[in-house]
Amino acid sequence: MMRKVLFVGLGTISLGCGIVGIVVPGLPTTPFVLLAAWFYVRSSERLHQKLIGNPFFGRYIANYERGLSRKSKYRIFILMWMMIILSTSLFIYSWPVRLVVVAAGVIGTGVVWRIKEPQ
């Protein structure tokens, strides 16, 4: 019972951060909304269905829950690494910042790779 209340609270906070991220530059929306869906699916089926049914967020969550094909993953990797290489070679001059961007890219690659593939 306590876990359910905690997860509903954390899901609601995550969803709030995602909504704020729509209008605040630099604050991501998608990770917070996906995190809210993760918390809701483990605590409240009603809230999860409400989030899935949302005309703005629902499609993205459903696509994520359905999974990514290997072809989609490769496209994501190509675009992500093209932007990382472009950013670190043309726009970022500080070596420590370049390393952080590349490290984030490596982590992002791992996260995308772990997304399940559709059955």
Side-chain angles (χ1 to χ4, degrees), residues 33 50-65:
V33 173
K50 209 170 176 180
L51 192 57
I52 294 290
N54 181 285
F56 189 73
F57 296 125
R59 183 176 46 136
Y60 298 107
I61 297 167
N63 286 341
Y64 179 81
E65 289 178 347

Side-chain angles (χ1 to χ4, degrees), residues 25 36 42 45 51 61 69 82 100 109:
R42 285 160 179 76
E45 185 59 32
L51 192 57
I61 297 167
S69 69
M82 282 174 45
V100 169
T109 299

Side-chain angles (χ1 to χ4, degrees), residues 37-111:
W38 186 88
F39 280 124
Y40 286 163
V41 81
R42 285 160 179 76
S43 61
S44 172
E45 185 59 32
R46 182 181 63 81
L47 290 174
H48 183 255
Q49 288 304 317
K50 209 170 176 180
L51 192 57
I52 294 290
N54 181 285
F56 189 73
F57 296 125
R59 183 176 46 136
Y60 298 107
I61 297 167
N63 286 341
Y64 179 81
E65 289 178 347
R66 192 172 31 249
L68 286 174
S69 69
R70 196 167 290 224
K71 184 177 180 179
S72 294
K73 289 180 185 183
Y74 290 143
R75 286 181 182 165
I76 290 168
F77 295 148
I78 290 168
L79 288 172
M80 180 171 58
W81 282 100
M82 282 174 45
M83 293 311 298
I84 289 169
I85 291 167
L86 182 69
S87 297
T88 56
S89 62
L90 297 178
F91 303 115
I92 301 173
Y93 303 108
S94 167
W95 278 101
V97 176
R98 285 178 177 173
L99 290 174
V100 169
V101 170
V102 170
V106 169
I107 292 168
T109 299
V111 168

